[in-house]
Amino acid sequence: MTNEEIFQKDKDYYMPVFARYQLVLSHGKGVYAYDTDGKQYIDYLGGIAVNVLGHAHPKLVKAISDQAAKMIHCSNLYYTQTQAVLAEKLVKLSGLGKVFLANSGAEANEGAMKLARKYAHQFDADKSEIITANHCFHGRTLATLTATAQPKYQQGVGPLPECFRYVEYNDIKALEAMISEKTCAIMLEPIQGEGGVNVPDADYLQKVRALCDKYNAALIFDEIQTGIGRSGTMFAYEQFGVKPDIVTLAKGLAGGVPVGAFIATDQYAAAFHAGDHGSTFGGNPLACAAANTVLDTIDEENLLDNVKTVGAYFISELQKLKVKYSGLIKAVRGKGFILGVELTKPGREIVDECLKNGAIINCTAGNVLRFVPPLIITKANVDELIVILDKVLAKHQ
């Protein structure tokens, strides 16, 4: 098929919910993606923080192929080895107690909120309020878009579920004024991704933890985007010295195979009993085989160290661009391989021009260039991107 035929089929048959670029990607290898004309792009979006091992990593390809030849799916009415092994890995890595495996980040967050309410209702049936932060993003189902404190996602689909309240991110006084005995959970991203790569003060999450303890509310960390090594530790919360009651994962967990998870302490997990939650596809053998391979490969190839080392270099190079283009770049922020460059103007044109020059990035929050590349990028790959960014930014100074 020609690109034009693909564009037309999409227009004719697919719901118009994506503002797509006029580009058809056909395959990838390592940190590069290729279009149908054979043009190469260095991929600093990684499927939006999904392709942690890059494209076509041989270990992941083999694991998926081998498992597909054995069994792709079976019901959760039965045990499978891949699921049992993944559950153990996630519990031990998180330091929590029990895991549930789903299909996506939205499902993971739905499950986490459901568990928090189920736990709280043991003590008070009215203890149902969930507090989230302005500019957050937790998903697109009715409950998760209600938790997402951005009106643009909520318009036209009301009435929305009740008992959600919003507070300014990184403002502990505002949270102190809002939390009450009716609060069953506070759900936060340790680093806000879609909201513009916003990093909290060093002690903010610790103070949130203390408030949750005081009011017997669950602390839920949404690590859909920040988890699986993206910040330089397996979970971003490790860098803030705080442990949640529940943490959610998806995106990079299986390197591109759809999977989600929420992990809870034994105390909270005990609120669920047989029949209280479930999933047809969640935790199937194929997804679990892929996730196990991703976690093993991160360890075997020392990718957390790579994120720390190359991430620090990446930030320093972006800071140099900030000095060079001081009228255009307002701030550089983030940790590891979740980095943002806040501009003094909208960023879509810059994203478009980077694409023309062979680099895939994106813009979030209107004016923040976001970089969430595979965990395998090198300093040479950073240099390659910086050359392109420098060239593009020069045109907008």
Side-chain angles (χ1 to χ4, degrees), residues 112-117 120 127-132 163-165 175 179-188 208 212 215-221 245-246 268:
M113 293 186 290
K114 178 179 175 180
L115 178 60
R117 281 189 172 171
K127 192 175 176 67
S128 298
E129 288 186 353
I130 296 173
I131 298 174
T132 63
C163 299
F164 286 86
R165 304 188 70 188
L175 187 55
I179 194 171
S180 73
E181 295 296 341
K182 298 302 180 186
T183 304
C184 79
I186 297 172
M187 183 160 68
L188 299 171
V208 175
C212 287
Y215 287 91
N216 193 27
L219 176 57
I220 304 173
F221 282 150
D245 299 297
I246 308 172
Y268 273 83

PDB file of all heavy atoms in Angstrom, residues 112-117 120 127-132 163-165 175 179-188 208 212 215-221 245-246 268:
ATOM      1  N   ALA A 112      -6.192   0.459  41.165  1.00  0.00           N
ATOM      2  CA  ALA A 112      -5.595   1.040  42.372  1.00  0.00           C
ATOM      3  C   ALA A 112      -6.612   1.865  43.148  1.00  0.00           C
ATOM      4  O   ALA A 112      -6.695   1.777  44.390  1.00  0.00           O
ATOM      5  CB  ALA A 112      -4.401   1.903  41.986  1.00  0.00           C
ATOM      6  N   MET A 113      -7.391   2.672  42.419  1.00  0.00           N
ATOM      7  CA  MET A 113      -8.408   3.490  43.097  1.00  0.00           C
ATOM      8  C   MET A 113      -9.509   2.620  43.690  1.00  0.00           C
ATOM      9  O   MET A 113     -10.003   2.878  44.795  1.00  0.00           O
ATOM     10  CB  MET A 113      -8.988   4.509  42.123  1.00  0.00           C
ATOM     11  CG  MET A 113      -7.990   5.569  41.684  1.00  0.00           C
ATOM     12  SD  MET A 113      -8.719   6.874  40.650  1.00  0.00           S
ATOM     13  CE  MET A 113      -9.063   5.969  39.132  1.00  0.00           C
ATOM     14  N   LYS A 114      -9.893   1.596  42.969  1.00  0.00           N
ATOM     15  CA  LYS A 114     -10.901   0.665  43.469  1.00  0.00           C
ATOM     16  C   LYS A 114     -10.430  -0.021  44.747  1.00  0.00           C
ATOM     17  O   LYS A 114     -11.189  -0.140  45.727  1.00  0.00           O
ATOM     18  CB  LYS A 114     -11.209  -0.367  42.381  1.00  0.00           C
ATOM     19  CG  LYS A 114     -12.217  -1.436  42.764  1.00  0.00           C
ATOM     20  CD  LYS A 114     -12.431  -2.380  41.581  1.00  0.00           C
ATOM     21  CE  LYS A 114     -13.344  -3.547  41.938  1.00  0.00           C
ATOM     22  NZ  LYS A 114     -13.547  -4.449  40.769  1.00  0.00           N
ATOM     23  N   LEU A 115      -9.181  -0.462  44.754  1.00  0.00           N
ATOM     24  CA  LEU A 115      -8.630  -1.115  45.942  1.00  0.00           C
ATOM     25  C   LEU A 115      -8.578  -0.148  47.117  1.00  0.00           C
ATOM     26  O   LEU A 115      -8.910  -0.519  48.257  1.00  0.00           O
ATOM     27  CB  LEU A 115      -7.237  -1.661  45.640  1.00  0.00           C
ATOM     28  CG  LEU A 115      -6.511  -2.338  46.815  1.00  0.00           C
ATOM     29  CD1 LEU A 115      -7.311  -3.533  47.331  1.00  0.00           C
ATOM     30  CD2 LEU A 115      -5.109  -2.770  46.388  1.00  0.00           C
ATOM     31  N   ALA A 116      -8.179   1.088  46.869  1.00  0.00           N
ATOM     32  CA  ALA A 116      -8.113   2.077  47.949  1.00  0.00           C
ATOM     33  C   ALA A 116      -9.487   2.302  48.581  1.00  0.00           C
ATOM     34  O   ALA A 116      -9.617   2.398  49.809  1.00  0.00           O
ATOM     35  CB  ALA A 116      -7.550   3.389  47.421  1.00  0.00           C
ATOM     36  N   ARG A 117     -10.522   2.391  47.745  1.00  0.00           N
ATOM     37  CA  ARG A 117     -11.876   2.561  48.281  1.00  0.00           C
ATOM     38  C   ARG A 117     -12.346   1.306  49.009  1.00  0.00           C
ATOM     39  O   ARG A 117     -12.974   1.393  50.068  1.00  0.00           O
ATOM     40  CB  ARG A 117     -12.840   2.922  47.154  1.00  0.00           C
ATOM     41  CG  ARG A 117     -12.754   4.390  46.755  1.00  0.00           C
ATOM     42  CD  ARG A 117     -13.848   4.766  45.797  1.00  0.00           C
ATOM     43  NE  ARG A 117     -13.860   6.212  45.565  1.00  0.00           N
ATOM     44  CZ  ARG A 117     -14.593   6.814  44.640  1.00  0.00           C
ATOM     45  NH1 ARG A 117     -15.376   6.085  43.856  1.00  0.00           N
ATOM     46  NH2 ARG A 117     -14.555   8.118  44.498  1.00  0.00           N
ATOM     47  N   ALA A 120     -10.764   1.367  52.370  1.00  0.00           N
ATOM     48  CA  ALA A 120     -11.276   2.426  53.236  1.00  0.00           C
ATOM     49  C   ALA A 120     -12.689   2.137  53.719  1.00  0.00           C
ATOM     50  O   ALA A 120     -13.051   2.464  54.855  1.00  0.00           O
ATOM     51  CB  ALA A 120     -11.237   3.763  52.503  1.00  0.00           C
ATOM     52  N   LYS A 127     -15.832   7.100  53.350  1.00  0.00           N
ATOM     53  CA  LYS A 127     -14.425   7.473  53.159  1.00  0.00           C
ATOM     54  C   LYS A 127     -14.051   7.156  51.707  1.00  0.00           C
ATOM     55  O   LYS A 127     -13.475   6.101  51.400  1.00  0.00           O
ATOM     56  CB  LYS A 127     -13.531   6.703  54.131  1.00  0.00           C
ATOM     57  CG  LYS A 127     -12.089   7.194  54.226  1.00  0.00           C
ATOM     58  CD  LYS A 127     -11.339   6.432  55.320  1.00  0.00           C
ATOM     59  CE  LYS A 127      -9.879   6.829  55.388  1.00  0.00           C
ATOM     60  NZ  LYS A 127      -9.690   8.222  55.838  1.00  0.00           N
ATOM     61  N   SER A 128     -14.415   8.080  50.791  1.00  0.00           N
ATOM     62  CA  SER A 128     -14.347   7.782  49.362  1.00  0.00           C
ATOM     63  C   SER A 128     -13.603   8.817  48.531  1.00  0.00           C
ATOM     64  O   SER A 128     -13.390   8.601  47.335  1.00  0.00           O
ATOM     65  CB  SER A 128     -15.772   7.642  48.795  1.00  0.00           C
ATOM     66  OG  SER A 128     -16.462   6.576  49.416  1.00  0.00           O
ATOM     67  N   GLU A 129     -13.223   9.936  49.111  1.00  0.00           N
ATOM     68  CA  GLU A 129     -12.606  10.994  48.308  1.00  0.00           C
ATOM     69  C   GLU A 129     -11.194  10.610  47.868  1.00  0.00           C
ATOM     70  O   GLU A 129     -10.412  10.065  48.652  1.00  0.00           O
ATOM     71  CB  GLU A 129     -12.552  12.304  49.091  1.00  0.00           C
ATOM     72  CG  GLU A 129     -13.915  12.961  49.253  1.00  0.00           C
ATOM     73  CD  GLU A 129     -13.826  14.326  49.910  1.00  0.00           C
ATOM     74  OE1 GLU A 129     -12.729  14.716  50.358  1.00  0.00           O
ATOM     75  OE2 GLU A 129     -14.872  14.998  49.966  1.00  0.00           O
ATOM     76  N   ILE A 130     -10.916  10.913  46.614  1.00  0.00           N
ATOM     77  CA  ILE A 130      -9.578  10.691  46.056  1.00  0.00           C
ATOM     78  C   ILE A 130      -9.046  12.031  45.591  1.00  0.00           C
ATOM     79  O   ILE A 130      -9.695  12.742  44.818  1.00  0.00           O
ATOM     80  CB  ILE A 130      -9.627   9.701  44.883  1.00  0.00           C
ATOM     81  CG1 ILE A 130     -10.094   8.323  45.384  1.00  0.00           C
ATOM     82  CG2 ILE A 130      -8.254   9.590  44.202  1.00  0.00           C
ATOM     83  CD1 ILE A 130     -10.336   7.312  44.283  1.00  0.00           C
ATOM     84  N   ILE A 131      -7.879  12.400  46.089  1.00  0.00           N
ATOM     85  CA  ILE A 131      -7.246  13.680  45.737  1.00  0.00           C
ATOM     86  C   ILE A 131      -6.166  13.436  44.697  1.00  0.00           C
ATOM     87  O   ILE A 131      -5.309  12.564  44.871  1.00  0.00           O
ATOM     88  CB  ILE A 131      -6.636  14.359  46.983  1.00  0.00           C
ATOM     89  CG1 ILE A 131      -7.732  14.669  48.013  1.00  0.00           C
ATOM     90  CG2 ILE A 131      -5.910  15.651  46.586  1.00  0.00           C
ATOM     91  CD1 ILE A 131      -7.183  15.209  49.340  1.00  0.00           C
ATOM     92  N   THR A 132      -6.224  14.200  43.612  1.00  0.00           N
ATOM     93  CA  THR A 132      -5.171  14.168  42.599  1.00  0.00           C
ATOM     94  C   THR A 132      -4.676  15.594  42.361  1.00  0.00           C
ATOM     95  O   THR A 132      -5.194  16.542  42.939  1.00  0.00           O
ATOM     96  CB  THR A 132      -5.672  13.542  41.287  1.00  0.00           C
ATOM     97  OG1 THR A 132      -6.729  14.355  40.751  1.00  0.00           O
ATOM     98  CG2 THR A 132      -6.174  12.126  41.511  1.00  0.00           C
ATOM     99  N   CYS A 163     -16.615  12.375  44.020  1.00  0.00           N
ATOM    100  CA  CYS A 163     -15.634  12.227  45.107  1.00  0.00           C
ATOM    101  C   CYS A 163     -14.184  12.327  44.646  1.00  0.00           C
ATOM    102  O   CYS A 163     -13.283  11.730  45.244  1.00  0.00           O
ATOM    103  CB  CYS A 163     -15.845  10.927  45.876  1.00  0.00           C
ATOM    104  SG  CYS A 163     -17.467  10.817  46.672  1.00  0.00           S
ATOM    105  N   PHE A 164     -13.937  13.090  43.589  1.00  0.00           N
ATOM    106  CA  PHE A 164     -12.575  13.425  43.198  1.00  0.00           C
ATOM    107  C   PHE A 164     -12.333  14.900  43.489  1.00  0.00           C
ATOM    108  O   PHE A 164     -13.174  15.746  43.186  1.00  0.00           O
ATOM    109  CB  PHE A 164     -12.338  13.148  41.709  1.00  0.00           C
ATOM    110  CG  PHE A 164     -12.221  11.690  41.381  1.00  0.00           C
ATOM    111  CD1 PHE A 164     -13.357  10.930  41.132  1.00  0.00           C
ATOM    112  CD2 PHE A 164     -10.978  11.072  41.335  1.00  0.00           C
ATOM    113  CE1 PHE A 164     -13.259   9.581  40.828  1.00  0.00           C
ATOM    114  CE2 PHE A 164     -10.875   9.717  41.028  1.00  0.00           C
ATOM    115  CZ  PHE A 164     -12.016   8.967  40.780  1.00  0.00           C
ATOM    116  N   ARG A 165     -11.165  15.197  44.057  1.00  0.00           N
ATOM    117  CA  ARG A 165     -10.807  16.576  44.369  1.00  0.00           C
ATOM    118  C   ARG A 165      -9.399  16.845  43.856  1.00  0.00           C
ATOM    119  O   ARG A 165      -8.560  15.940  43.802  1.00  0.00           O
ATOM    120  CB  ARG A 165     -10.895  16.842  45.878  1.00  0.00           C
ATOM    121  CG  ARG A 165     -12.261  16.513  46.480  1.00  0.00           C
ATOM    122  CD  ARG A 165     -12.351  16.965  47.912  1.00  0.00           C
ATOM    123  NE  ARG A 165     -12.401  18.422  47.993  1.00  0.00           N
ATOM    124  CZ  ARG A 165     -12.323  19.109  49.141  1.00  0.00           C
ATOM    125  NH1 ARG A 165     -12.160  18.463  50.291  1.00  0.00           N
ATOM    126  NH2 ARG A 165     -12.386  20.420  49.144  1.00  0.00           N
ATOM    127  N   LEU A 175      -2.549  20.872  50.033  1.00  0.00           N
ATOM    128  CA  LEU A 175      -2.957  19.512  50.327  1.00  0.00           C
ATOM    129  C   LEU A 175      -3.385  19.378  51.785  1.00  0.00           C
ATOM    130  O   LEU A 175      -4.385  18.711  52.095  1.00  0.00           O
ATOM    131  CB  LEU A 175      -1.815  18.553  50.014  1.00  0.00           C
ATOM    132  CG  LEU A 175      -2.126  17.057  50.104  1.00  0.00           C
ATOM    133  CD1 LEU A 175      -3.313  16.682  49.225  1.00  0.00           C
ATOM    134  CD2 LEU A 175      -0.901  16.243  49.728  1.00  0.00           C
ATOM    135  N   ILE A 179      -7.119  17.688  52.565  1.00  0.00           N
ATOM    136  CA  ILE A 179      -7.274  16.326  53.052  1.00  0.00           C
ATOM    137  C   ILE A 179      -8.156  16.308  54.298  1.00  0.00           C
ATOM    138  O   ILE A 179      -8.166  17.257  55.093  1.00  0.00           O
ATOM    139  CB  ILE A 179      -5.898  15.681  53.337  1.00  0.00           C
ATOM    140  CG1 ILE A 179      -6.025  14.175  53.518  1.00  0.00           C
ATOM    141  CG2 ILE A 179      -5.213  16.346  54.525  1.00  0.00           C
ATOM    142  CD1 ILE A 179      -4.688  13.447  53.582  1.00  0.00           C
ATOM    143  N   SER A 180      -8.915  15.220  54.437  1.00  0.00           N
ATOM    144  CA  SER A 180      -9.812  15.102  55.589  1.00  0.00           C
ATOM    145  C   SER A 180     -10.011  13.628  55.910  1.00  0.00           C
ATOM    146  O   SER A 180      -9.467  12.738  55.235  1.00  0.00           O
ATOM    147  CB  SER A 180     -11.161  15.751  55.288  1.00  0.00           C
ATOM    148  OG  SER A 180     -11.902  14.951  54.372  1.00  0.00           O
ATOM    149  N   GLU A 181     -10.848  13.357  56.906  1.00  0.00           N
ATOM    150  CA  GLU A 181     -11.146  11.980  57.269  1.00  0.00           C
ATOM    151  C   GLU A 181     -11.925  11.261  56.167  1.00  0.00           C
ATOM    152  O   GLU A 181     -12.027  10.032  56.172  1.00  0.00           O
ATOM    153  CB  GLU A 181     -11.945  11.939  58.576  1.00  0.00           C
ATOM    154  CG  GLU A 181     -11.185  12.451  59.796  1.00  0.00           C
ATOM    155  CD  GLU A 181      -9.980  11.595  60.147  1.00  0.00           C
ATOM    156  OE1 GLU A 181      -9.925  10.429  59.701  1.00  0.00           O
ATOM    157  OE2 GLU A 181      -9.089  12.096  60.868  1.00  0.00           O
ATOM    158  N   LYS A 182     -12.476  12.004  55.214  1.00  0.00           N
ATOM    159  CA  LYS A 182     -13.201  11.414  54.092  1.00  0.00           C
ATOM    160  C   LYS A 182     -12.268  11.039  52.937  1.00  0.00           C
ATOM    161  O   LYS A 182     -12.695  10.417  51.971  1.00  0.00           O
ATOM    162  CB  LYS A 182     -14.282  12.368  53.586  1.00  0.00           C
ATOM    163  CG  LYS A 182     -15.343  12.698  54.623  1.00  0.00           C
ATOM    164  CD  LYS A 182     -16.041  11.438  55.138  1.00  0.00           C
ATOM    165  CE  LYS A 182     -17.107  11.770  56.163  1.00  0.00           C
ATOM    166  NZ  LYS A 182     -17.689  10.527  56.770  1.00  0.00           N
ATOM    167  N   THR A 183     -10.999  11.387  53.043  1.00  0.00           N
ATOM    168  CA  THR A 183     -10.036  11.067  51.991  1.00  0.00           C
ATOM    169  C   THR A 183      -9.623   9.608  52.087  1.00  0.00           C
ATOM    170  O   THR A 183      -9.110   9.177  53.125  1.00  0.00           O
ATOM    171  CB  THR A 183      -8.794  11.963  52.095  1.00  0.00           C
ATOM    172  OG1 THR A 183      -9.188  13.337  52.050  1.00  0.00           O
ATOM    173  CG2 THR A 183      -7.819  11.666  50.973  1.00  0.00           C
ATOM    174  N   CYS A 184      -9.850   8.865  51.014  1.00  0.00           N
ATOM    175  CA  CYS A 184      -9.407   7.460  51.034  1.00  0.00           C
ATOM    176  C   CYS A 184      -8.070   7.294  50.332  1.00  0.00           C
ATOM    177  O   CYS A 184      -7.373   6.307  50.578  1.00  0.00           O
ATOM    178  CB  CYS A 184     -10.451   6.553  50.414  1.00  0.00           C
ATOM    179  SG  CYS A 184     -10.489   6.515  48.612  1.00  0.00           S
ATOM    180  N   ALA A 185      -7.690   8.254  49.463  1.00  0.00           N
ATOM    181  CA  ALA A 185      -6.425   8.107  48.749  1.00  0.00           C
ATOM    182  C   ALA A 185      -5.962   9.436  48.178  1.00  0.00           C
ATOM    183  O   ALA A 185      -6.776  10.299  47.829  1.00  0.00           O
ATOM    184  CB  ALA A 185      -6.562   7.093  47.611  1.00  0.00           C
ATOM    185  N   ILE A 186      -4.651   9.580  48.093  1.00  0.00           N
ATOM    186  CA  ILE A 186      -4.008  10.639  47.319  1.00  0.00           C
ATOM    187  C   ILE A 186      -3.231   9.936  46.214  1.00  0.00           C
ATOM    188  O   ILE A 186      -2.409   9.056  46.487  1.00  0.00           O
ATOM    189  CB  ILE A 186      -3.063  11.488  48.177  1.00  0.00           C
ATOM    190  CG1 ILE A 186      -3.837  12.215  49.287  1.00  0.00           C
ATOM    191  CG2 ILE A 186      -2.306  12.503  47.315  1.00  0.00           C
ATOM    192  CD1 ILE A 186      -2.958  12.923  50.293  1.00  0.00           C
ATOM    193  N   MET A 187      -3.509  10.298  44.977  1.00  0.00           N
ATOM    194  CA  MET A 187      -2.824   9.675  43.842  1.00  0.00           C
ATOM    195  C   MET A 187      -2.002  10.717  43.105  1.00  0.00           C
ATOM    196  O   MET A 187      -2.535  11.728  42.636  1.00  0.00           O
ATOM    197  CB  MET A 187      -3.813   9.024  42.876  1.00  0.00           C
ATOM    198  CG  MET A 187      -3.109   8.300  41.724  1.00  0.00           C
ATOM    199  SD  MET A 187      -4.136   7.055  40.882  1.00  0.00           S
ATOM    200  CE  MET A 187      -5.345   8.102  40.093  1.00  0.00           C
ATOM    201  N   LEU A 188      -0.703  10.484  43.003  1.00  0.00           N
ATOM    202  CA  LEU A 188       0.216  11.429  42.389  1.00  0.00           C
ATOM    203  C   LEU A 188       1.201  10.708  41.490  1.00  0.00           C
ATOM    204  O   LEU A 188       1.548   9.544  41.735  1.00  0.00           O
ATOM    205  CB  LEU A 188       1.025  12.174  43.468  1.00  0.00           C
ATOM    206  CG  LEU A 188       0.276  13.030  44.480  1.00  0.00           C
ATOM    207  CD1 LEU A 188       1.238  13.480  45.573  1.00  0.00           C
ATOM    208  CD2 LEU A 188      -0.373  14.225  43.808  1.00  0.00           C
ATOM    209  N   VAL A 208       3.692  14.311  51.885  1.00  0.00           N
ATOM    210  CA  VAL A 208       2.438  13.688  51.456  1.00  0.00           C
ATOM    211  C   VAL A 208       2.265  12.339  52.161  1.00  0.00           C
ATOM    212  O   VAL A 208       1.168  12.010  52.642  1.00  0.00           O
ATOM    213  CB  VAL A 208       2.407  13.500  49.929  1.00  0.00           C
ATOM    214  CG1 VAL A 208       1.145  12.740  49.508  1.00  0.00           C
ATOM    215  CG2 VAL A 208       2.468  14.848  49.219  1.00  0.00           C
ATOM    216  N   CYS A 212      -0.900  11.122  54.548  1.00  0.00           N
ATOM    217  CA  CYS A 212      -1.659   9.891  54.326  1.00  0.00           C
ATOM    218  C   CYS A 212      -1.680   9.032  55.585  1.00  0.00           C
ATOM    219  O   CYS A 212      -2.722   8.463  55.951  1.00  0.00           O
ATOM    220  CB  CYS A 212      -1.061   9.108  53.162  1.00  0.00           C
ATOM    221  SG  CYS A 212      -1.397   9.836  51.545  1.00  0.00           S
ATOM    222  N   TYR A 215      -4.167  10.524  58.164  1.00  0.00           N
ATOM    223  CA  TYR A 215      -5.590  10.408  57.859  1.00  0.00           C
ATOM    224  C   TYR A 215      -5.991   9.011  57.380  1.00  0.00           C
ATOM    225  O   TYR A 215      -7.109   8.822  56.913  1.00  0.00           O
ATOM    226  CB  TYR A 215      -5.970  11.444  56.794  1.00  0.00           C
ATOM    227  CG  TYR A 215      -6.000  12.861  57.334  1.00  0.00           C
ATOM    228  CD1 TYR A 215      -4.872  13.666  57.288  1.00  0.00           C
ATOM    229  CD2 TYR A 215      -7.156  13.374  57.918  1.00  0.00           C
ATOM    230  CE1 TYR A 215      -4.889  14.973  57.787  1.00  0.00           C
ATOM    231  CE2 TYR A 215      -7.197  14.673  58.414  1.00  0.00           C
ATOM    232  CZ  TYR A 215      -6.053  15.459  58.347  1.00  0.00           C
ATOM    233  OH  TYR A 215      -6.085  16.753  58.856  1.00  0.00           O
ATOM    234  N   ASN A 216      -5.091   8.036  57.524  1.00  0.00           N
ATOM    235  CA  ASN A 216      -5.368   6.660  57.112  1.00  0.00           C
ATOM    236  C   ASN A 216      -5.858   6.621  55.666  1.00  0.00           C
ATOM    237  O   ASN A 216      -6.862   5.975  55.329  1.00  0.00           O
ATOM    238  CB  ASN A 216      -6.398   6.000  58.042  1.00  0.00           C
ATOM    239  CG  ASN A 216      -6.475   4.493  57.845  1.00  0.00           C
ATOM    240  OD1 ASN A 216      -5.505   3.862  57.434  1.00  0.00           O
ATOM    241  ND2 ASN A 216      -7.639   3.913  58.129  1.00  0.00           N
ATOM    242  N   ALA A 217      -5.143   7.330  54.815  1.00  0.00           N
ATOM    243  CA  ALA A 217      -5.449   7.365  53.380  1.00  0.00           C
ATOM    244  C   ALA A 217      -4.338   6.664  52.609  1.00  0.00           C
ATOM    245  O   ALA A 217      -3.166   6.737  52.994  1.00  0.00           O
ATOM    246  CB  ALA A 217      -5.591   8.805  52.906  1.00  0.00           C
ATOM    247  N   ALA A 218      -4.699   6.023  51.535  1.00  0.00           N
ATOM    248  CA  ALA A 218      -3.705   5.334  50.714  1.00  0.00           C
ATOM    249  C   ALA A 218      -2.878   6.348  49.932  1.00  0.00           C
ATOM    250  O   ALA A 218      -3.415   7.295  49.369  1.00  0.00           O
ATOM    251  CB  ALA A 218      -4.382   4.387  49.751  1.00  0.00           C
ATOM    252  N   LEU A 219      -1.579   6.140  49.885  1.00  0.00           N
ATOM    253  CA  LEU A 219      -0.716   6.900  48.996  1.00  0.00           C
ATOM    254  C   LEU A 219      -0.496   6.054  47.746  1.00  0.00           C
ATOM    255  O   LEU A 219       0.107   4.976  47.800  1.00  0.00           O
ATOM    256  CB  LEU A 219       0.615   7.223  49.661  1.00  0.00           C
ATOM    257  CG  LEU A 219       1.638   7.952  48.773  1.00  0.00           C
ATOM    258  CD1 LEU A 219       1.080   9.256  48.224  1.00  0.00           C
ATOM    259  CD2 LEU A 219       2.937   8.214  49.539  1.00  0.00           C
ATOM    260  N   ILE A 220      -1.035   6.539  46.617  1.00  0.00           N
ATOM    261  CA  ILE A 220      -0.896   5.842  45.344  1.00  0.00           C
ATOM    262  C   ILE A 220       0.066   6.622  44.459  1.00  0.00           C
ATOM    263  O   ILE A 220      -0.143   7.812  44.214  1.00  0.00           O
ATOM    264  CB  ILE A 220      -2.262   5.724  44.617  1.00  0.00           C
ATOM    265  CG1 ILE A 220      -3.298   5.038  45.500  1.00  0.00           C
ATOM    266  CG2 ILE A 220      -2.082   4.981  43.293  1.00  0.00           C
ATOM    267  CD1 ILE A 220      -4.706   5.053  44.912  1.00  0.00           C
ATOM    268  N   PHE A 221       1.083   5.962  43.997  1.00  0.00           N
ATOM    269  CA  PHE A 221       1.992   6.573  43.028  1.00  0.00           C
ATOM    270  C   PHE A 221       1.695   5.995  41.648  1.00  0.00           C
ATOM    271  O   PHE A 221       1.764   4.774  41.441  1.00  0.00           O
ATOM    272  CB  PHE A 221       3.455   6.315  43.382  1.00  0.00           C
ATOM    273  CG  PHE A 221       3.973   7.185  44.489  1.00  0.00           C
ATOM    274  CD1 PHE A 221       4.976   6.728  45.334  1.00  0.00           C
ATOM    275  CD2 PHE A 221       3.482   8.465  44.697  1.00  0.00           C
ATOM    276  CE1 PHE A 221       5.471   7.529  46.352  1.00  0.00           C
ATOM    277  CE2 PHE A 221       3.969   9.266  45.721  1.00  0.00           C
ATOM    278  CZ  PHE A 221       4.966   8.803  46.546  1.00  0.00           C
ATOM    279  N   ASP A 245       1.562   3.022  49.315  1.00  0.00           N
ATOM    280  CA  ASP A 245       0.726   1.869  49.649  1.00  0.00           C
ATOM    281  C   ASP A 245       0.383   1.084  48.387  1.00  0.00           C
ATOM    282  O   ASP A 245       0.234  -0.137  48.436  1.00  0.00           O
ATOM    283  CB  ASP A 245      -0.562   2.335  50.334  1.00  0.00           C
ATOM    284  CG  ASP A 245      -0.273   3.073  51.631  1.00  0.00           C
ATOM    285  OD1 ASP A 245       0.285   2.450  52.553  1.00  0.00           O
ATOM    286  OD2 ASP A 245      -0.579   4.279  51.707  1.00  0.00           O
ATOM    287  N   ILE A 246       0.261   1.810  47.281  1.00  0.00           N
ATOM    288  CA  ILE A 246      -0.056   1.191  45.994  1.00  0.00           C
ATOM    289  C   ILE A 246       0.741   1.927  44.915  1.00  0.00           C
ATOM    290  O   ILE A 246       0.844   3.152  44.941  1.00  0.00           O
ATOM    291  CB  ILE A 246      -1.564   1.300  45.663  1.00  0.00           C
ATOM    292  CG1 ILE A 246      -2.432   0.787  46.817  1.00  0.00           C
ATOM    293  CG2 ILE A 246      -1.886   0.536  44.379  1.00  0.00           C
ATOM    294  CD1 ILE A 246      -3.924   1.049  46.637  1.00  0.00           C
ATOM    295  N   TYR A 268      -3.135  -3.485  52.240  1.00  0.00           N
ATOM    296  CA  TYR A 268      -4.158  -3.039  51.301  1.00  0.00           C
ATOM    297  C   TYR A 268      -4.648  -4.181  50.416  1.00  0.00           C
ATOM    298  O   TYR A 268      -5.855  -4.301  50.137  1.00  0.00           O
ATOM    299  CB  TYR A 268      -3.623  -1.887  50.444  1.00  0.00           C
ATOM    300  CG  TYR A 268      -3.830  -0.546  51.120  1.00  0.00           C
ATOM    301  CD1 TYR A 268      -2.938  -0.092  52.080  1.00  0.00           C
ATOM    302  CD2 TYR A 268      -4.936   0.235  50.824  1.00  0.00           C
ATOM    303  CE1 TYR A 268      -3.130   1.127  52.718  1.00  0.00           C
ATOM    304  CE2 TYR A 268      -5.152   1.445  51.456  1.00  0.00           C
ATOM    305  CZ  TYR A 268      -4.245   1.894  52.411  1.00  0.00           C
ATOM    306  OH  TYR A 268      -4.460   3.087  53.046  1.00  0.00           O
TER     307      TYR A 268
END
